[in-house]
């Protein structure tokens, strides 16, 4: 019964709607999925409802973009109460910050002689979780760059001229927020963040798992994190980080799944916590 615990919809920077993802999940034989949009939980309700129709279990999920002075860290949350008022209030603040940031990126692009309008970006992103990939798509559609790689290296990357940071939580704040809303916090793709020394502090804040099965990870990296999970008594999760068929990434839904046993452990942790 294959499972994928890391999927993005068009409510953040994926290209498919939550319903389309559920339908696709069924078509490719996934039995359980978690929708984990960046800083946005608006797709959960509709995904859960359509999951019932399609016979796909939908676990509530989120992926927080967080930062400390040394690294960008993504924190996944599962099984939280997606009606929790504190969670919704903080997400509202993060989303406002993301919208303001788009206007600033547009200004900086203008200084570079690149003319696009903020509304062209919002037309594809909506006003909840707009991000750099949406800006990249507009740049590509208007023929101003040829692909994602060029959009990021010329304009949007951390050191590129149109880079703008946005309001983010600290990693430990995201962990605490997920925990307070009844969820299970998991360190997303730790190989990418490359800051294992944060794990003890995040555990003190309530971290319960590591996302270890991730596309492109080498066997030695997986072994390293399995050993860390064992040492710290952390759950092991995984997912594809699917962003849609038109996202500039090659991977297809259903190509990267994790064993039932891991999902059962995650579910049991949630049941125990309640
Ligand atoms: P944002 O949250 O708006 O800062 O955008 C972050 C997202 O941009 C990440 O989740 C990636 O999907 C994407 N991204 C970041 N760097 C690159 C890059 N160099 N090439 C393509 N996509 C990237
Ligand atoms: Zn993304
Ligand atoms: Fe991520
Ligand atoms: Fe992701």
């Amino acid at each position: 019964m294959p499972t994928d615990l890391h999927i993005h919809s068009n409510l953040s920077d994926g290209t498919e709607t939550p319903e389309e993802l559920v339908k696709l999940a069924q078509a490719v034989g996934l039995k359980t999925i978690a929708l984990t949009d960046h800083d946005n939980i608006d797709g959960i309700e509709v995904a859960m409802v359509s999951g019932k129709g399609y016979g796909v279990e939908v676990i509530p999920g989120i992926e927080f973009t967080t930062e400390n002075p040394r690294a960008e860290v993504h924190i996944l949350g599962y099984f939280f109460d997606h009606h929790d008022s504190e969670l919704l209030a903080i997400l509202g603040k993060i989303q406002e910050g993301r919208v303001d940031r788009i206007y600033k990126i547009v200004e900086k692009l203008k200084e570079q002689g690149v003319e696009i309008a903020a509304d062209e970006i919002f037309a594809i992103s909506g006003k909840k979780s707009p991000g750099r990939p949406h800006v990249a798509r507009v740049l590509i559609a208007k023929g101003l760059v040829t692909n994602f790689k060029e959009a990021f290296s010329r304009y949007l990357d951390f050191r590129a001229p149109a880079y703008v940071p946005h309001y983010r939580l600290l990693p430990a704040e995201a962990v605490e927020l997920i925990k307070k809303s009844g969820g299970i916090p998991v360190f997303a793709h730790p190989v990418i963040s490359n800051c294992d020394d944060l794990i003890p502090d995040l555990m003190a804040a309530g971290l319960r798992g590591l996302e270890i099965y991730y596309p492109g990870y080498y066997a030695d990296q997986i072994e390293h994190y399995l050993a860390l999970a064992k040492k710290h008594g952390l759950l092991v999760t995984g997912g594809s980080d699917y962003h849609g068929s038109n996202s500039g990434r090659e991977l297809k839904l259903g190509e990267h799944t994790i064993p039932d046993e891991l999902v059962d452990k995650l579910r049991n942790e949630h049941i125990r916590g309640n």
Side-chain angles (χ1 to χ4, degrees):
M1 307 242 283
T3 295
D4 186 341
L5 294 177
H6 191 152
I7 299 176
H8 296 275
S9 80
N10 67 346
L11 294 175
S12 62
D13 56 358
T15 62
E16 280 136 17
T17 66
E19 299 98 311
E20 285 166 349
L21 286 171
V22 171
K23 191 175 169 191
L24 185 59
Q26 190 221 29
V28 300
L30 290 170
K31 293 288 185 295
T32 303
I33 61 170
L35 186 65
T36 54
D37 278 313
H38 298 282
D39 304 332
N40 190 355
I41 57 176
D42 290 356
I44 290 174
E45 193 73 38
V46 65
M48 288 174 93
V49 171
S50 58
K52 290 212 172 79
Y54 283 101
V56 175
E57 179 194 14
V58 177
I59 295 172
I62 186 164
E63 184 177 20
F64 278 100
T65 304
T66 75
E67 201 176 284
N68 72 9
R70 283 179 29 234
E72 178 170 317
V73 176
H74 293 186
I75 302 289
L76 291 159
Y78 297 109
F79 287 115
F80 48 83
D81 171 9
H82 59 288
H83 302 294
D84 183 89
S85 55
E86 188 184 354
L87 177 62
L88 289 166
I90 292 177
L91 286 173
K93 192 171 165 197
I94 295 173
Q95 289 161 2
E96 272 175 39
R98 279 187 169 275
V99 169
D100 289 346
R101 172 203 199 205
I102 293 295
Y103 291 106
K104 290 183 186 142
I105 291 177
V106 166
E107 275 306 306
K108 285 198 161 190
L109 284 170
K110 201 170 174 182
E111 287 164 18
Q112 299 298 311
V114 176
E115 295 270 351
I116 62 172
D119 283 342
E120 293 177 273
I121 299 162
F122 298 135
I124 56 168
S125 69
K127 281 204 166 177
K128 291 283 188 157
S129 196
R132 287 178 290 163
H134 302 109
V135 181
R137 271 188 242 153
V138 171
L139 292 174
I140 295 166
K142 297 190 86 172
L144 296 162
V145 296
T146 53
N147 54 37
F148 271 80
K149 196 163 180 273
E150 189 188 348
F152 276 85
S153 63
R154 276 181 73 180
Y155 300 115
L156 302 170
D157 264 342
F158 188 63
R159 284 186 182 75
Y163 179 78
V164 180
H166 62 91
Y167 170 71
R168 313 159 162 211
L169 300 178
L170 290 166
E173 289 174 331
V175 167
E176 278 164 11
L177 183 60
I178 292 162
K179 199 174 164 221
K180 270 205 274 182
S181 55
I184 303 171
V186 172
F187 191 157
H189 44 65
V191 174
I192 298 174
S193 289
N194 189 25
C195 50
D196 294 357
D197 54 317
L198 276 188
I199 292 172
D201 282 352
L202 294 181
M203 285 184 68
L207 188 78
R208 289 300 304 127
L210 298 176
E211 185 186 47
I212 299 183
Y213 295 107
Y214 191 83
Y217 279 17
Y218 295 113
D220 61 332
Q221 295 172 323
I222 291 174
E223 266 170 42
H224 167 78
Y225 283 103
L226 288 174
L228 263 188
K230 196 166 173 194
K231 177 177 150 196
H232 291 301
L234 289 167
L235 295 160
V236 174
T237 75
S240 64
D241 211 354
Y242 179 74
H243 276 72
S245 53
N246 183 26
S247 65
R249 302 183 190 211
E250 298 290 312
L251 185 127
K252 292 189 175 62
L253 196 67
E255 284 181 351
H256 182 92
T257 62
I258 59 166
D260 279 356
E261 184 207 354
L262 299 179
V263 188
D264 291 342
K265 284 188 178 155
L266 188 70
R267 204 180 281 109
N268 289 341
E269 173 90 6
H270 165 62
I271 294 165
R272 255 203 310 278
N274 283 299

